[in-house]
């Protein structure tokens, strides 16, 4: 009875650990108070074959992975989070698909006996051709002398008329061909201008960007291009841009209101539509 009780207790504890979610605040993470807890999660996940799904700001990912791997080589899935918190969820790994059973090789057909060769008939005897008859010798050829033609009478040519001066054709000056247009050279330093405004309330661009960069919450603040700061992140879309700024321990989202040159040294291209402000002295 005691063995059954202990086995049931261990099973319930393992199931509860596999379904737990651990929340860690920014203060706990930055002070190191959560290091032991993260190391324990890594050791338990490696021993049980579980997977740890971590949601946290991107600049924390490397530190979190190092602290979890200090406990064991557990499988870790990192997700970006916009808030200064750390959420760890324990999940079961996806089961591998069953391998198909090998199909037995089809039986080889029995060999078919080759048909007996048909005897080749003998050719019929061919009659010999009759002896060739020699033709009679050709008749002798008599050569007939060819008569020489009589000399033709001398023909006196009539006097030639005076030469007629041919008309000199007018010289037509051809206009020089038009010069080919010079190829257009694309300047890699040419400005790429973004004209951004706050989308309307019913604009699908607003709904899409608020859902993607602010977890579906409304963005009400705006900022001019001249007020951008070093470290601001710019996410662009069709005629709009969202600015993500970190102040202390919170993230602020704002709409960009104005014209900005995206091809300048003050901006660093981080992705397809993501730019990082590396110099606050931006040109418009």
């Amino acid at each position: 009875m005691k063995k059954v009780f202990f086995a049931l207790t261990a099973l319930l504890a393992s199931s509860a650990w596999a379904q737990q979610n651990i929340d860690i605040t920014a203060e706990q993470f930055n002070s190191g108070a959560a290091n032991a807890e993260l190391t324990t999660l890594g050791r338990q996940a490696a021993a049980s074959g579980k997977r740890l799904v971590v949601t946290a700001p991107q600049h924390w990912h490397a530190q979190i992975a190092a602290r979890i791997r200090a406990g064991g080589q557990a499988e870790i899935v990192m997700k970006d989070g916009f808030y200064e918190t750390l959420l760890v969820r324990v999940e079961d790994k996806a089961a591998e698909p069953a391998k198909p059973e090998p199909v037995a090789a089809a039986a080889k057909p029995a060999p078919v006996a080759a048909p007996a060769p048909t005897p080749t008939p003998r050719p019929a005897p061919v009659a010999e051709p009759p002896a060739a008859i020699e033709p009679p010798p050709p008749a002798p050829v008599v050569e007939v002398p060819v008569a020489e033609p009589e000399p033709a009478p001398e023909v006196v040519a009539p006097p030639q008329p005076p030469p007629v001066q041919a008309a000199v054709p007018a010289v037509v000056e051809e206009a020089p061909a038009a010069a080919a247009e010079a190829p257009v050279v694309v300047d890699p330093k040419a400005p790429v201008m973004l004209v951004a405004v706050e989308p309307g309330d019913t604009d699908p661009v607003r709904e899409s960007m608020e859902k993607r960069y602010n977890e579906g919450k409304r963005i009400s603040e705006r900022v001019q291009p001249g007020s951008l700061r070093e470290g601001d992140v710019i996410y662009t879309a069709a005629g709009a841009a969202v600015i993500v700024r970190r102040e202390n321990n919170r993230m602020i989202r704002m709409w960009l209101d104005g014209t900005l040159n995206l091809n300048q040294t003050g901006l660093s291209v981080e992705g397809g539509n993501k730019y990082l402000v590396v110099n606050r002295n931006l040109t418009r």
Side-chain angles (χ1 to χ4, degrees):
M1 188 66 180
K2 291 182 179 180
K3 292 183 179 179
V4 174
F5 175 75
F6 288 140
L8 181 59
T9 303
L11 178 61
L12 292 175
S14 174
S15 176
W17 179 82
Q19 298 177 0
Q20 67 179 334
N21 293 333
I22 296 91
D23 291 320
I24 298 174
T25 63
E27 182 179 357
Q28 293 174 333
F29 178 76
N30 292 326
S31 65
N35 291 353
E37 187 173 5
L38 292 175
T39 303
T40 302
L41 287 175
R43 181 170 57 256
Q44 293 177 347
S48 62
K50 302 295 182 180
R51 178 175 60 186
L52 299 179
V53 181
V54 181
T55 303
Q58 185 176 11
H59 60 279
W60 286 5
H61 287 184
Q63 302 178 38
I64 295 171
R67 295 173 185 176
I68 292 177
R69 293 282 165 79
Q73 296 298 320
E75 180 179 349
I76 305 172
V77 178
M78 289 292 185
K79 294 185 177 181
D80 291 345
F82 290 105
Y83 296 98
E84 297 288 329
T85 58
L86 192 157
L87 173 65
V88 183
R89 186 172 68 254
V90 182
E91 293 183 352
D92 292 329
K93 293 183 181 179
E96 296 183 356
K99 296 182 179 179
E101 297 181 357
V103 181
K108 296 183 179 179
V112 180
T118 304
T120 306
R122 294 182 178 180
V126 181
E128 296 183 357
I133 301 174
E134 295 183 358
V141 179
V142 180
E143 294 183 0
V144 179
V146 179
E148 295 182 359
E150 296 181 357
E154 184 178 356
V155 178
V156 178
Q160 296 182 356
V164 179
Q165 186 175 2
V168 180
V171 178
V172 179
E173 295 184 359
E174 296 183 359
E181 295 183 359
V184 178
V185 179
V186 178
D187 186 2
K189 298 182 180 180
V192 179
M193 306 308 295
L194 170 67
V195 180
V197 295
E198 180 181 355
D201 293 340
T202 60
D203 195 330
V205 174
R206 184 188 193 107
E207 180 182 358
S208 175
M209 298 190 76
E210 288 178 341
K211 182 178 180 181
R212 185 172 182 181
Y213 303 115
N214 202 30
E215 300 183 352
K217 300 177 183 178
R218 181 177 178 83
I219 301 174
S220 58
E221 297 186 32
R222 289 183 292 180
V223 62
Q224 298 290 330
S227 300
L228 293 176
R229 302 177 184 175
E230 184 176 349
D232 287 351
V233 180
I234 306 173
Y235 295 97
T236 63
V242 171
I243 309 300
V244 179
R245 175 178 296 172
R246 183 188 307 278
E247 285 191 359
N248 298 328
N249 288 331
R250 67 191 189 99
M251 306 294 287
I252 301 176
R253 279 82 174 176
M254 300 170 286
W255 295 108
L256 181 64
D257 186 12
T259 303
L260 179 64
N261 179 15
L262 299 177
N263 189 17
Q264 58 176 299
T265 57
L267 296 178
S268 173
V269 181
E270 300 293 318
N273 70 324
K274 182 179 179 181
Y275 299 84
L276 176 65
V277 180
V278 297
N279 189 344
R280 62 181 303 175
N281 298 324
L282 300 177
T283 59
R284 303 182 186 179

